[in-house]
Amino acid sequence: MLSETVTSMTTVPGPVAPEQAPRARDGVRATPRGTGPRPSARPRSRRTRRAVLGFLGVLGFAATWELFALAEVVNPSYLPSFTTTARRLVAELGEPRFWSTLGDTLITWALGLAIAVGAALVLGTVIGLVPFLRRATHSTVEFLRPIPSVAIIPLAVLVAGLSREAALIVVVYAPFWQVLIQVLYGIADVNTVARDTARSFGLGRAQRLRHLVLPTALPYVITGFRLAAAIALVLTITSELVIGNPGIGRQIDLYRSAPDAPGLYALVLVTGLLGLLVNLGTRAIERRVLHWHPSVRRETPR
Amino acid sequence: MTAVRRTLASAGFTLGLPLLLLLGWAVATRSTTTIYFPTPARVGEAFVATWLDPEILGRDVLPSLGRFAIGVALSIVIGIAAGTVIGSTPWLRALLEPMLEFFRAIPPVVLVPVLMLVLGLGDTMRLAVIVSGSVWPVLLNTVEGVRARDPVLVDTSRSYRVRGALALRYFVLPAASPQIMAGIRLCLSIGLILMVISEMFAASSGLGYQIVFFQRQYMIAEMWSGIVLLGLVGVVVAAVFHVVERRVLHWYHGSREVSRG
Amino acid sequence: MADRTPLLSVTELSKTYLSATGPVEAIRSISFDVYPGELVCIVGPSGCGKTTLLKCVSGLLPPTSGTVTLDGAEVTRPPATMAVVFQEYGQSLYPWLTVRDNVALPLRARGVPRAERAAVVERALEEVGLSHVLRTYPWQLSGGMQQRVAIARAVAYQPEVLVMDEPFAAVDAQTRADLEDLVRRVWKDLGVTVLFVTHDIDESVYLGERVVVLSASPTVVQEDLAVDLPAERDQLGTRALPRFTELRTHVYGQIQRAKRGEQVGAA
């Protein structure tokens, strides 16, 4: 099977596109001799084909879900059909309460993300620019970073009660380390040679920071931001679910204990769509900010 | 002489700040009376008394770690297997890509209520929670790693007729291994989080359950010792991963160092 | 030569790619034969579709029309009796395998028993002068040595036809001269048939027993030229021969004509 499929991976030189249309199988040539250039199968149509296939995949998923539910493999009060869930989702979208719940989640997310990114930027820059601090903090950062953020939920609840503040402690923790590490790597990447060159041209400290450190570190920071945004959303909904501060996560738990399965599944779909939007949004920001600097765009190599 | 000094300096840099922080903690908790922040010594005592107690170790700690290990192992196996198939079948990839993106975007924790509803409480549900959240990074990274094989190596393997299981073992999987390992690192941290979460919900044993229990009982030092334990587990898992990754990807790090000059 | 049957025949081969801007005719029509034991060089201006031709010949890419036959059978996928050395030595070796395992993997794929495999690998690495780096990884070697490993892998495969796609385009001049002599030696020692693609006119004349000159794209065969230089060749003596100069001047002229032809054709 592998030797078959690798065919399509074969690239051809130059700006021409790889073959996609009928392919040799089992040594039998798919195209008869002397037919000349094959029609169609242009890149545009291939993109259309991908989109169509992807759409079919979504339809297939919905259909599988529907059949699975109709066959009652699982108790129907635990697994509503896709259509029931979809109808419920539309109904939720018409409810003002849904939007205020969503708003709660988004506010917690945005606050947590802003605090994490802000703190990490300031601390990361200070630590990154002072070699002594870098060496002194390395072991501590490496120790604190892998601590699972949910481990501090009980502590957060103890200190701040069942509140948004408690949720924020949890939401800030993991993205903070993510961005901090990216900032540290970004500043470390500022080529010492380039820095020396800049110094020899008489750039002051502030100018060096502006013309050298920032452009080099920015791609790392933006990537850190993208990852942090996704993690913060996950933690926002997690903390709502576990701590019980208002938001989509708490509503999901309420629907579970009701039990209101269609509502539960509808909100799970909402969280997926929310995550998708955040991912697409931050990727678009990344592309916009870094379009001038594609060569340095990469994630922390470890 | 200089070697000794260098070793001392590096030890100082490694241990300096942690010791300072510990000292600061001790001083701060000595002078104040807040119940939320016990002294380090008190937390240390609670740690030994709680987590090294054979009963708790056998009832809560080891089963939790066992579920974590099994869940993560299942995620890795399923993720690599499915990712390899999807990554090497273009039409299948095009078909599944939007749904996979969607599943990846769902915060793994919201699947806990769903799985509780469908599977009830118990080990199956807890395992399912871990797998349902941590399989995605492995799967998606494997798809990407398998898809983005070097075209020259693809041609090389084809012309030397390296196919089937041999190609899988010596070409496809090693070529994708840097991405797969990156996925496994994510899988481990998500798995650990989900292990704890699945036990914080309506469970009667496990690490996550115990920590929440201590918090509700205002057994503050015990709760802190639980956080320390989870932190230690996280650090140990990260360290073990680091060692394994260095071994598996030694060629990758080596060749990158060479190409960087 | 005419009374022998060709080992490899390329007949009216053409290749048209489909690109975003419409079909691109890379190869219009190429025909030539390679007889057993020959060393044939294919030379042409850059961008004339040499790599495309080699991919079709080695069964990696289906031609749009025309055929490639090896030993009388049509090539529709990589044949078992052909070994390929690619231009990109840095990418054609498996970086996670040692030099020895890189050379041995195709033999494993063919099911050669372990003991025999070890012996063949060792002999092949000895042939290219690399018996001391068995356990090294390719990326620890210089570019020239990496290409030697790729040649050793091809040699160990014991092919009837050895196909080389501009293998020395990316190595320095000194290494290149050594590798050229290595190809001549391997060809003589093993009696293998070699199809060697290059853009370097001197290299094609120095190496080949025959030179097939390609035109600019859309490509046809410009000339099929026998190289009547002595069989024993060395970098200093052979390149100093008046006949060598004549031949390279001739091929150079042909390629210039090919380029002009392209411009006339395009206008």
Side-chain angles (χ1 to χ4, degrees), chain B residues 75 99-100 103-104 106 111 131-141:
Chain B
S75 299
M99 278 327 290
L100 292 177
F103 276 113
R104 171 165 71 170
I106 294 180
L111 295 174
V131 174
S132 67
S134 55
V135 73
W136 305 110
V138 182
L139 193 150
L140 287 157
N141 275 37

Side-chain angles (χ1 to χ4, degrees), chain B residues 52-211:
Chain B
L52 298 184
D53 173 3
E55 197 195 321
I56 292 181
L57 199 66
R59 189 192 60 209
D60 298 304
V61 182
L62 294 181
S64 281
L65 295 180
R67 277 192 299 271
F68 168 69
I70 295 171
V72 161
L74 278 175
S75 299
I76 292 173
V77 171
I78 296 171
I80 292 178
T84 306
V85 172
I86 297 170
S88 49
T89 319
W91 67 265
L92 193 60
R93 200 176 71 236
L95 190 73
L96 296 181
E97 210 158 43
M99 278 327 290
L100 292 177
E101 283 287 330
F102 179 74
F103 276 113
R104 171 165 71 170
I106 294 180
V109 178
V110 305
L111 295 174
V112 177
V114 174
L115 292 168
M116 275 167 71
L117 208 58
V118 175
L119 297 174
L121 306 172
D123 280 354
T124 319
M125 181 275 285
R126 295 184 193 178
L127 264 184
V129 165
I130 295 175
V131 174
S132 67
S134 55
V135 73
W136 305 110
V138 182
L139 193 150
L140 287 157
N141 275 37
T142 308
V143 168
E144 190 49 34
V146 168
R147 186 191 65 79
R149 278 168 293 175
D150 188 308
V152 178
L153 263 190
V154 170
D155 276 353
T156 304
S157 303
R158 287 184 66 210
S159 53
Y160 286 103
R161 300 158 79 94
V162 177
R163 293 179 289 205
L166 202 68
L168 199 62
R169 165 77 182 79
Y170 290 102
F171 172 37
V172 179
L173 289 181
S177 60
Q179 270 102 328
I180 294 178
M181 290 309 279
I184 290 177
R185 179 172 38 231
L186 267 174
C187 159
L188 288 171
S189 50
I190 295 176
L192 196 56
I193 288 173
L194 288 175
M195 174 201 89
V196 176
I197 293 279
S198 71
E199 294 165 352
M200 283 182 168
F201 271 94
S204 55
S205 69
L207 246 171
Y209 166 77
Q210 278 297 339
I211 294 175

Side-chain angles (χ1 to χ4, degrees), chain A residues 11-12 16-17 19 27 29 33-34 36-38 40 42-43, chain C residues 15-20 24 55 61 64-67 74 76:
Chain A
T11 55
V12 287
V16 288
E19 296 273 313
R29 180 123 41 72
R33 240 200 254 187
R38 281 179 222 143
S40 82
R42 305 263 162 77
Chain C
K15 181 69 190 178
T16 301
Y17 289 113
L18 301 160
S19 77
V24 174
K55 283 198 168 166
L61 200 64
T64 307
S65 70
T67 55
E74 185 172 341
T76 52

Side-chain angles (χ1 to χ4, degrees), chain B residues 41-56:
Chain B
R42 179 73 193 82
V43 173
E45 276 167 37
F47 187 94
V48 174
T50 311
W51 305 112
L52 298 184
D53 173 3
E55 197 195 321
I56 292 181

Side-chain angles (χ1 to χ4, degrees), chain C residues 6-11 32-34 67-71:
Chain C
L7 178 63
L8 180 76
S9 291
V10 175
T11 314
F32 63 90
D33 291 333
V34 179
T67 55
V68 175
T69 53
L70 176 65
D71 263 339

